[in-house]
């Protein structure tokens, strides 16, 4: 079985070159691989780097030859209480649970492991304001970013709407909501969201740029 996915920073910044993806089962690291420079990764369950496959509570083990895997997948109990997480200096990830995966498949796309910066790295800037606010609002915002990066716009819209419901002055969430609505061709609602973002934080530039682009497009259409 191969697990494929991607690691991405929620602020769109570049990741360090040594991003480690770990499979953790029952609080124990079972497997570690490095993501490539673009953040993509492929993890083979049962490779030589993962001699201990059984992630169940009884702690049993199962050997595997390099490059070999069962044509019918692996037992589901070997994915119980297992998560994927990304590890990199200055970043913290939201884990992806493996419990619900179809363990009979050979290749599974697990989606994007979203990481956010917890420390400033020289030469980069951190949008700390994106994480200032009530915990429920920030959690919804992060889930919205994850859904948006995965192309799940309906879910992203729902989470960003929750974020601004919890925290009406959440400029970053209003802006992100606007980007989703614009992609869904809800131009009027997107314009409103961008405007709310500028009202919540007059110094936050992205919504002004989006409004300017919308105004220019409308003018060209009239011409």
């Amino acid at each position: 079985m191969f697990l494929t996915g991607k690691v991405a920073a929620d602020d769109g910044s570049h990741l360090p070159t040594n991003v480690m993806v770990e499979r953790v089962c029952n609080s124990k690291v079972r497997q570690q691989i490095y993501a490539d420079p673009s953040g993509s990764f492929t993890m083979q369950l049962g490779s030589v780097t993962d001699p201990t496959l059984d992630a169940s509570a009884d702690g049993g083990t199962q050997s595997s030859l390099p490059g070999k895997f069962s044509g019918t997948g692996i037992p589901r109990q070997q994915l119980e209480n297992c998560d994927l997480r990304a590890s990199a200096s200055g970043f913290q990830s939201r884990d992806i649970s493996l419990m619900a995966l179809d363990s009979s498949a050979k290749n599974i796309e697990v989606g994007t492991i979203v990481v956010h910066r917890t420390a400033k790295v020289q030469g980069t800037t951190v949008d700390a304001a994106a994480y200032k606010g009530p915990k429920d609002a920030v959690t919804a915002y992060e889930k919205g970013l994850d859904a948006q990066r995965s192309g799940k716009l309906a879910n992203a819209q729902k989470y960003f709407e929750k974020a601004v419901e919890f925290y009406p002055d959440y400029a970053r969430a209003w802006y992100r909501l606007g980007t989703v609505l614009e992609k869904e061709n809800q131009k009027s609602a997107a314009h409103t969201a961008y405007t709310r973002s500028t009202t919540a934080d007059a110094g936050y530039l992205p919504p002004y740029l989006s409004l300017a682009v919308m105004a220019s497009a409308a003018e060209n259409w009239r011409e």
Side-chain angles (χ1 to χ4, degrees):
M1 172 188 280
F2 291 87
L3 303 179
T4 63
K6 189 175 181 65
V7 182
D10 57 4
D11 61 1
S13 62
H14 290 291
L15 295 169
T17 58
N18 60 339
V19 176
M20 179 80 75
V21 178
E22 300 177 321
R23 180 165 63 91
V24 183
C25 305
N26 295 315
S27 301
K28 295 182 179 180
V29 176
R30 295 290 185 177
Q31 189 172 1
Q32 295 176 316
I33 59 170
Y34 284 105
D36 68 21
S38 71
S40 298
F41 65 88
T42 298
M43 176 179 288
Q44 181 182 355
L45 301 187
S47 69
V48 69
T49 58
D50 185 28
T52 304
L53 287 179
D54 192 352
S56 60
D58 63 11
T61 62
Q62 176 181 339
S63 298
S64 176
L65 295 176
K68 301 290 185 181
F69 57 91
S70 168
T72 58
I74 65 175
R76 179 168 293 278
Q77 67 264 27
Q78 293 179 5
L79 295 180
E80 289 180 356
N81 301 316
C82 291
D83 300 299
L84 281 185
R85 71 185 183 194
S87 176
S89 178
F91 288 87
Q92 181 178 347
S93 76
R94 185 184 313 114
D95 298 350
I96 293 180
S97 174
L98 301 181
M99 185 177 298
L101 295 183
D102 178 6
S103 59
S104 65
K106 293 183 180 180
N107 299 290
I108 298 178
E109 170 61 47
V110 299
T112 301
I113 303 177
V114 178
V115 299
H116 66 267
R117 200 181 298 276
T118 58
K120 185 174 181 179
V121 178
Q122 187 174 2
T124 65
T125 57
V126 180
D127 185 11
Y131 300 99
K132 290 182 179 178
K135 180 179 178 181
D136 288 343
V138 173
T139 298
Y141 175 76
E142 291 180 331
K143 289 182 178 180
L145 290 175
D146 193 6
Q148 188 176 25
R149 292 181 188 282
S150 300
K152 300 176 182 179
L153 298 184
N155 288 342
Q157 178 180 340
K158 178 184 67 175
Y159 287 125
F160 290 138
E161 287 174 343
K162 283 186 177 181
V164 297
E165 180 181 349
F166 287 127
Y167 183 29
D169 291 331
Y170 206 158
R172 275 65 176 169
W174 279 115
Y175 167 68
R176 290 288 183 173
L177 176 59
T179 63
V180 170
L181 292 169
E182 191 170 5
K183 287 183 178 180
E184 292 179 324
N185 205 34
Q186 300 183 46
K187 304 297 185 183
S188 179
H191 190 281
T192 298
Y194 290 142
T195 302
R196 289 293 301 269
S197 180
T198 63
T199 301
D201 184 353
Y204 183 49
L205 296 180
Y208 290 103
L209 298 176
S210 295
L211 288 169
V213 170
M214 292 184 75
S216 177
E219 184 65 27
N220 292 336
W221 183 81
R222 284 195 293 269
E223 293 177 355

